[in-house]
């Protein structure tokens, strides 16, 4: 039909602009195609592509800073408040409902272009919660590469005297397992008492995790 032909034309012009690296120029065409998608199977593709392009455009609009080779947006989603130990939640003790709501909120933020999430192994339950969100995205065939997961290595104060590279590795691998991913994009280390100088040794040991691809 004429409507389908127009939708196809807008979609392919958008795809051509995107292939040239002109994402902002491609977005209006994807939006037009999605507003009146074709009635065939391509219609769903048009809707999905417009949503993906919109999210990507939002991400590109957020200023970034470079940490090593990693480009980090200056606006990220904080996970501290998701910890049951740090704030009260309307779901009370209903952990299932609480995590379901948080996953929906994280999906909304990601779809709006806020694809970086910061949390820590010390934030009770947050890595598991984010891992549930990651799993749901993978189940929906959405890529892990679209997310930036930032966690923290925070050894307990009473463990600092004996905490070493082996212990650090164990914590990072546990974080990856909780997050249902093979790697974290950024690992931040906090050491409660710098008068205990082992933090230099532990920090150096993290380079081996980077070499393995466990930390970007």
């Amino acid at each position: 039909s004429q409507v389908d032909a127009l939708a196809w034309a807008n979609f392919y012009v958008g795809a051509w602009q995107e292939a040239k690296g002109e994402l902002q120029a491609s977005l209006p065409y994807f939006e037009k195609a999605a507003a009146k998608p074709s009635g065939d199977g391509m219609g769903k593709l048009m809707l999905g592509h417009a949503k993906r392009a919109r999210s990507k455009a939002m991400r590109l609009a957020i200023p970034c800073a470079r940490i090593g080779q990693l480009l980090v947006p200056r606006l990220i989603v904080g996970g501290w408040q998701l910890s049951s130990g740090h704030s009260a939640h309307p779901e009370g003790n209903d952990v299932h409902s609480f995590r379901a709501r948080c996953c929906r909120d994280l999906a909304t933020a990601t779809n709006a272009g806020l694809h970086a999430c910061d949390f820590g192994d010390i934030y009770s339950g947050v890595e598991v919660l984010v891992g549930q969100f990651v799993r749901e995205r993978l189940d929906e065939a959405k890529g892990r590469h679209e997310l930036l997961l930032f966690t923290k290595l925070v050894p307990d104060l009473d463990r600092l005297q004996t905490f070493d590279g082996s212990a650090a590795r164990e914590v990072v691998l546990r974080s990856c397992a909780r997050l249902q991913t093979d790697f974290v994009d950024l690992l931040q280390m906090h050491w409660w008492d710098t008068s205990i100088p082992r933090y230099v040794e532990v920090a150096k040991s993290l380079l081996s995790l980077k070499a393995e691809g466990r930390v970007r």
Side-chain angles (χ1 to χ4, degrees):
S1 70
Q2 186 175 0
V3 173
D4 284 358
L6 183 59
W8 277 67
N10 279 314
F11 180 77
Y12 281 117
V13 172
W16 176 63
Q17 294 283 3
E18 185 180 38
K20 294 194 303 177
E22 301 290 342
L23 181 63
Q24 293 294 344
S26 73
L27 190 56
Y29 293 99
F30 287 138
E31 295 284 19
K32 289 177 183 177
K36 293 183 178 180
S38 60
D40 55 13
M42 280 291 292
K44 290 184 178 179
L45 179 62
M46 293 174 185
L47 291 170
H49 209 85
K51 185 176 181 180
R52 182 190 64 78
R54 198 180 304 122
S55 176
K56 188 174 182 180
M58 286 289 294
R59 291 202 302 269
L60 292 176
I62 298 173
C64 293
R66 189 170 293 280
I67 299 179
Q69 296 180 343
L70 184 65
L71 202 59
V72 179
R74 294 184 181 276
L75 185 61
I76 62 178
V77 177
W80 178 84
Q81 73 278 9
L82 302 180
S83 171
S84 59
H86 289 141
S87 55
H89 301 283
E91 294 84 1
N93 294 325
D94 187 348
V95 176
H96 177 76
S97 296
F98 164 65
R99 288 180 177 170
R101 175 176 61 81
C102 289
C103 285
R104 291 194 300 272
D105 290 345
L106 288 172
T108 298
T110 301
N111 292 335
L114 297 173
H115 66 300
C117 186
D118 177 75
F119 38 86
D121 72 304
I122 197 172
Y123 302 169
S124 302
V126 176
E127 287 184 333
V128 173
L129 190 160
V130 175
Q132 180 177 324
F133 166 65
V134 172
R135 182 73 265 160
E136 289 179 3
R137 284 186 63 84
L138 295 178
D139 289 344
E140 295 172 1
K142 296 178 180 177
R144 160 69 174 89
H145 66 279
E146 296 177 356
L147 301 174
L148 290 175
L149 304 179
F150 304 161
T151 194
K152 301 177 185 68
L153 170 66
V154 189
D156 291 338
L157 178 61
D158 59 4
R159 293 190 63 192
L160 296 188
Q161 291 286 356
T162 58
F163 197 86
D164 57 12
S166 177
R169 177 184 177 81
E170 182 180 327
V171 172
V172 173
L173 294 182
R174 183 186 65 192
S175 291
C176 288
R178 288 172 171 173
L179 294 166
Q180 303 200 44
T181 184
D182 294 328
F183 66 95
V184 293
D185 296 279
L186 179 68
L187 179 66
Q188 303 154 87
M189 190 179 95
H190 178 75
W191 196 263
W192 293 108
D193 185 354
T194 54
S195 69
I196 302 174
R198 299 181 63 85
Y199 64 90
V200 176
E201 169 194 335
V202 174
K204 288 181 177 179
S205 75
L206 300 179
L207 293 174
S208 63
L209 289 167
K210 178 175 173 59
E212 291 177 28
R214 293 291 189 176
V215 180
R216 285 183 63 196

